[in-house]
Each structure stands twice: as structure tokens, then as C-alpha cells.
Amino acid sequence: MKNLAGLQVPVSAWSHLQADYLKQASELWNRALQGETGASADRRFAGAAWQANPASAFMAQLYLLNARTLQSMAEQVEGDEKTRARLRFAVQQFVDAAAPSNYLALNPEAQRLALDSQGESIAKGLQLLWADMQRGHLSQTDESAFEVGRNVATSEGHVVFENELFQLLEYKPLTAQVHERPLLLVPPCINKYYILDLQPENSLIRYAVEQGHRTFVVSWRNPDESCKSWTWDDYIERAAITAIETVREIAGTQTINTLGFCVGGTILATALAVLAARGQQPAESVTLLTTLIDFSSNGVLDLFVDEASVQLREMTIGAQSPKGPGLLHGQELATTFSFLRPNDLVWNYVVGNYLKGEAPPAFDLLYWNGDSTNLPGPMYCWYLRHTYLQNELKIPGRLTVCGEAIDLGQIKAPVYIYGSREDHIVPWDSAYRSTQVFSGKKRFVLGASGHIAGVINPPAKKKRSHWIGKGAALPPDANAWLDGATEHAGSWWPDWAAWLAGHAGAHKPAPKTPGNRTHKAIEPAPGRYVKTRA
């Protein structure tokens, strides 16, 4: 509140905004009197019902004018950058929520549908609202259409190891021969691993198997009350490091190839740094997909993190909480991420589901997005404080994890770093900053689209594009790299596959059975842990 009290719009900017608003409002009113409101380019108001009703068309145009003016005011406010960014975010949330399309009394499309269906659309909308209230979240897809292991996460494999924190999946080879070094994938523990295995045609896991890699994946347990005391050290020692050691033991190799996605990459890098401090270099290569290592500037997520907010978490669910540690419930995280894109992931479904009574269609990606996971409070609080708030992971010797002072620069393996150009969770230039932290050979590739769509971009679809730098130079400034990069059509997966093959070793006959004598198959993939709902 103290920061907000000091905010103000300069007098000159205020005068300009006021004059500009009055000019545009007058023009809008005059056009409305002449019946010339015109079609809206905003998809919320582009329907025929909006244009057929002059009052609704005028209201939509007036709303858009007010929205632009409020956003311009927020841009002109003077103050420290973080407070200004928070104000802009709050204004955007208000503007999106206030859209006339979000309210039955102001939405001519929903009103027309109600009349044409003799009220049936309203009755269906109320039924969908009641069902969502019972579920405890807004439905973005037909959740009854999917079942993990039946029509999502269907790649054939087995659980070959499990402990309290994770199950280790090994996938059945699809080639007669495999590379001698296996591949271990560490997905984020926020959401579930099967974003990497939604369908056979877009499965990164299946793609790796098809390339002849003996592929293992960490499937995280969805924490319940019995897990609320787990720490960051537990996730590193008892999960990531245990997975690395188990894969090495099963494959009988000194080194393995590793891949981490999002916070899974942060966990993987931390684990490899702990092992490096112990004199071990188990990674032949490291792939980091949309991963934060240097948390200097992280886009919109920075708005939610400051000393006061972290202390609040520590005192409510952290290890030092007066009531003892607790869980960060998955739905809270899911709601936060949805409101980073409220028009697409919140209000779009409010209008469709509740105002129009249209059940959302079946969409596997949105089913996965709604399959949220809890996080143990102590682990989450450590992550917030030492990465987002204090940005200590990149500083050699600053952090002690699993009893070791860690230095990510001691990881000797070559690193393949991928960022998505339109990522709002891990901005691409934030992902790029990892190139300045690791000491081994590095390759950075930039893909089109966002946090998920950029990563999950199978070559057969021939969609999007990616950028590759000229030569091996990785300057400190991300834009300097981009200026010298070349855009290539299609997926970045083949570039990664060629790079990975160079670290995977010779070929040998594919194993006929999963695991080994010590680690035998426990149950078929996808296993039990991934099926536990938050």
C-alpha cells in the first residue's frame, strides 16, 4: 500500500489522456448516432448479434475505449518498475473482468441463444456452473472424455522403481537397436509428466524412443497430507539424484543423457550441481526446456513474489509455520496460471459454459492443464525464496543443498538450452540467460509460440519455426544472439535429436525386458502416481 500511495500520473500525460479520450468518445458517439459503429476486431464482440444491436455495438466500442484509456493511464504512472508492473497487471485483470461479454444482461449473443432455445441454454449453463462448483474449478474441457493410461499417456512401458516421491518409468523400445547411453527425462512437479506423452503423434517421449534412446521418465507423486513436510533437498536427493543413479544402474553405464522441463530442469540442474560437488559427473549431456536458472527477470510471475509474500507463505505452509508445514494446493497454482491469460483461460469459459450453456469440447491439452498437483509447503517456500526472490541458484557457493555448497559452473556436461519466444511463464530471454551460467559446451535454440505449444511441436505437423544462432557464439545479451540467428521452418525436435545422438554412444541390441535383475517391472506405465488427483 505504501508503494501504491506514491504513484501518480504526470500532469502533462494526464492532460493528453483526457483530451484524447474526449476526442475518441465524441467520435464514437457521432458514429453511433449515424448508425456507423462498425464491426469489432475483438473476437469477444465480433459476432453478428453484437453488430445487429446498435446499443450492444456502441457499448462494446465504449468498453474498448475505456479499456485502452485505463491501460494507457497505467503505462503513464510514475513509480518503481515492479509497482508499476503490478498496477498494469491489476488494471488488465479489471479490464478483462469488466467486459460486457462476460455478463448475461449485456451479452446479446447469450440473450439470443436463450430466446432461441426457450431458456434451455440458461438451464444448461446453471447445470454446468453447479457441476463446476462441485468440482471446485472452472471446466476448460470435457474431463469425462479422458483417462490417464487409456487415451492420454499411452506410450507402452513399465514402472521399474518407486519410492515415496516418484515412480521411474521405462519405455518399451521401438527400434531393434538402442544407443548405449539411456535418456532420463525430469518433468516439472507442477502439473504431471504426460504433457510429454499426450498422444502418440505429439509425444516427445515416443519421439525419443523412436530415435533409439532407452528412455526413462520421472513420474512425480501428487503430494497429500502425509507429504507436507517434504523439502527441496528431498526432491533433489531422494528424487532427482535417486533417479539418475537408478537409471545408470539399470543401463550399466557410467553416464546418461538427461533432460529437464520447466521446474524439472531447475531440479535436474541442482541435482547435477550437488553431484558435481561430490566429485561425480553422471551426465553425458543436459537438455533444459523452458527452464529458469538465472531468475533475474521472469516476466509476469515476478509480480507475485516479494519479501512480504514469501514470508506469508513461510508462516502459513513453510517448515517454520506456527501450525506446522502444509500443502500448496494444486488448484491455487492452476488458478494463478489461468489468470496470466484471463481472456483465453477464464472468461472465455465463463461465457461459453455458463452464459451460453455450451459444454467445453474434449481437448487433451486442457485436460492435462486441469489435472493439477499439490506441492509440499517447505519445498515450495525454499524454491520461492532462493530462486525467484533472491536469485541465488546461479551464484557459485551461495546455496547449500543436500549438505553441499553448489556451483552450477562445475557441471561439465554439454547443455542444450531451449526457450519459447512467446512464453509468458519462462520468457525466452530468461531461458537464454542459462547460457551464461554453465561452463560446458552450450547450444541455444529458440522456438516459436508459448511455454507448452513451443515445446510440444512434433516435426510431422510441420508447424511453427525455430531460430538457430550462427556459430557457437552466445553473447550475454539475448537480443544480440537473436539478431544473428537464422529462422528455420518447422520443429526444433530434429535439431535436438541430431545433437543428442552425438552424446548417446554406439548402438546395441534393444533390451527385451524392462529394468534389470535388481529393478524389475512393478506395474505397467503410466503407473499409479500420475493417476492420483489433487
Side-chain angles (χ1 to χ4, degrees):
M1 292 301 292
K2 192 180 295 183
N3 288 344
L4 290 174
L7 296 176
Q8 60 180 357
V9 177
V11 174
S12 59
W14 181 262
S15 299
H16 176 76
L17 285 168
Q18 189 177 41
D20 191 48
Y21 179 80
L22 290 173
K23 178 176 177 289
Q24 291 188 63
S26 298
E27 292 173 351
L28 177 60
W29 176 248
N30 290 331
R31 289 199 306 271
L33 290 176
Q34 297 168 20
E36 298 176 357
T37 49
S40 174
D42 190 306
R43 63 181 176 83
R44 293 172 293 178
F45 313 116
W50 288 93
Q51 308 312 315
N53 185 325
S56 295
F58 174 76
M59 179 175 54
Q61 294 297 331
L62 183 60
Y63 159 77
L64 291 171
L65 171 59
N66 290 337
R68 289 194 300 271
T69 303
L70 282 170
Q71 289 161 338
S72 296
M73 287 174 60
E75 288 289 342
Q76 295 296 330
V77 164
E78 293 180 331
D80 70 90
E81 184 50 42
K82 187 159 188 171
T83 304
R84 291 179 68 241
R86 283 179 165 172
L87 179 64
R88 290 195 297 270
F89 180 80
V91 167
Q92 189 63 55
Q93 294 296 317
F94 170 77
V95 163
D96 291 343
S101 53
N102 297 338
Y103 303 93
L104 180 61
L106 303 176
N107 188 324
E109 287 183 313
Q111 293 167 6
R112 171 53 56 191
L113 197 57
L115 289 171
D116 291 347
S117 66
Q118 297 182 322
E120 186 178 349
S121 63
I122 293 177
K124 286 184 176 178
L126 289 171
Q127 291 172 355
L128 292 169
L129 174 60
W130 177 245
D132 281 354
M133 290 174 66
Q134 291 179 307
R135 291 189 193 97
H137 65 266
L138 172 68
S139 294
Q140 298 174 330
T141 186
D142 179 4
E143 296 180 9
S144 65
F146 299 101
E147 182 184 344
V148 175
R150 180 175 64 84
N151 55 3
V152 291
T154 58
S155 290
E156 191 174 350
H158 291 84
V159 176
V160 292
F161 173 86
E162 66 179 52
N163 64 15
E164 282 187 307
L165 280 90
F166 76 103
Q167 289 187 312
L168 183 66
L169 311 180
E170 180 182 358
Y171 287 89
K172 183 179 179 180
L174 295 173
T175 54
Q177 293 196 319
V178 297
H179 289 285
E180 62 181 343
R181 292 190 192 93
L183 172 65
L184 169 65
L185 285 74
V186 182
C189 50
I190 301 168
N191 285 110
K192 296 180 178 177
Y193 85 85
Y194 65 87
I195 186 59
L196 301 171
D197 189 35
L198 277 177
Q199 301 295 334
E201 61 269 19
N202 65 5
S203 170
L204 182 60
I205 289 172
R206 183 180 177 88
Y207 180 79
V209 176
E210 289 173 341
Q211 302 303 306
H213 298 286
R214 189 176 182 183
T215 303
F216 296 80
V217 175
V218 169
S219 174
W220 297 101
R221 180 175 173 185
N222 198 342
D224 56 27
E225 284 294 320
S226 69
C227 317
K228 63 186 180 182
S229 298
W230 290 352
T231 64
W232 182 259
D233 280 16
D234 288 327
Y235 274 72
I236 303 305
E237 188 77 70
R238 298 168 57 202
I241 290 176
T242 298
I244 291 167
E245 292 174 345
T246 305
V247 171
R248 288 173 64 195
E249 185 180 337
I250 290 174
T253 58
Q254 287 297 311
T255 58
I256 65 173
N257 291 306
T258 61
L259 179 150
F261 179 20
C262 190
V263 69
T266 311
I267 289 171
L268 172 63
T270 305
L272 292 174
V274 169
L275 291 171
R278 295 173 180 171
Q280 301 174 42
Q281 298 286 340
E284 187 72 21
S285 74
V286 182
T287 299
L288 298 178
L289 308 180
T290 60
T291 292
L292 288 170
I293 298 296
D294 179 344
F295 289 74
S296 302
S297 174
N298 312 296
V300 70
L301 289 181
D302 276 343
L303 305 183
F304 300 99
V305 182
D306 59 17
E307 181 63 37
S309 65
V310 173
Q311 281 190 13
L312 179 63
R313 290 294 191 188
E314 290 171 338
M315 294 306 293
T316 51
I317 60 173
Q320 306 306 317
S321 168
K323 296 182 179 179
L327 291 176
L328 177 70
H329 292 284
Q331 191 52 50
E332 184 178 347
L333 275 177
T335 300
T336 298
F337 284 122
S338 290
F339 273 99
L340 298 181
R341 293 169 53 203
N343 280 335
D344 293 332
L345 297 178
V346 179
W347 299 113
N348 175 50
Y349 296 101
V350 169
V351 173
N353 297 7
Y354 309 149
L355 302 193
K356 298 181 180 179
E358 298 169 349
F363 187 16
D364 53 11
L365 176 62
L366 289 176
Y367 174 78
W368 166 83
N369 191 55
D371 192 4
S372 57
T373 55
N374 302 323
L375 289 177
M379 174 268 190
Y380 178 67
C381 290
W382 190 100
Y383 177 60
L384 276 186
R385 175 165 291 284
H386 295 291
T387 59
Y388 278 96
L389 182 63
Q390 296 175 183
N391 191 23
E392 295 172 310
L393 187 60
K394 69 170 187 175
I395 304 172
R398 175 65 62 87
L399 293 177
T400 298
V401 180
C402 303
E404 307 291 346
I406 61 170
D407 176 2
L408 272 65
Q410 294 300 309
I411 300 170
K412 296 178 181 178
V415 187
Y416 187 104
I417 300 166
Y418 168 86
S420 289
R421 192 166 188 177
E422 297 160 36
D423 195 336
H424 61 291
I425 295 173
V426 180
W428 81 268
D429 53 342
S430 300
Y432 178 85
R433 285 198 299 271
S434 297
T435 62
Q436 309 301 304
V437 176
F438 295 99
S439 58
K441 291 183 179 179
K442 290 155 292 199
R443 181 174 182 81
F444 181 79
V445 173
L446 177 65
S449 198
H451 190 66
I452 298 300
V455 172
I456 308 303
N457 185 25
K461 299 284 187 181
K462 297 183 179 178
K463 286 186 175 182
R464 307 184 185 97
S465 61
H466 60 282
W467 289 260
I468 296 174
K470 294 176 182 176
L474 294 166
D477 181 50
N479 287 309
W481 176 88
L482 184 59
D483 289 342
T486 302
E487 184 175 6
H488 300 265
S491 173
W492 58 274
W493 288 14
D495 180 81
W496 171 68
W499 180 88
L500 185 62
H503 302 288
H507 285 88
K508 65 178 185 178
K512 292 183 170 55
T513 57
N516 64 4
R517 291 181 181 178
T518 307
H519 301 288
K520 297 181 179 179
I522 297 171
E523 61 179 333
R528 306 185 313 282
Y529 286 9
V530 73
K531 296 180 181 180
T532 303
R533 305 283 291 190

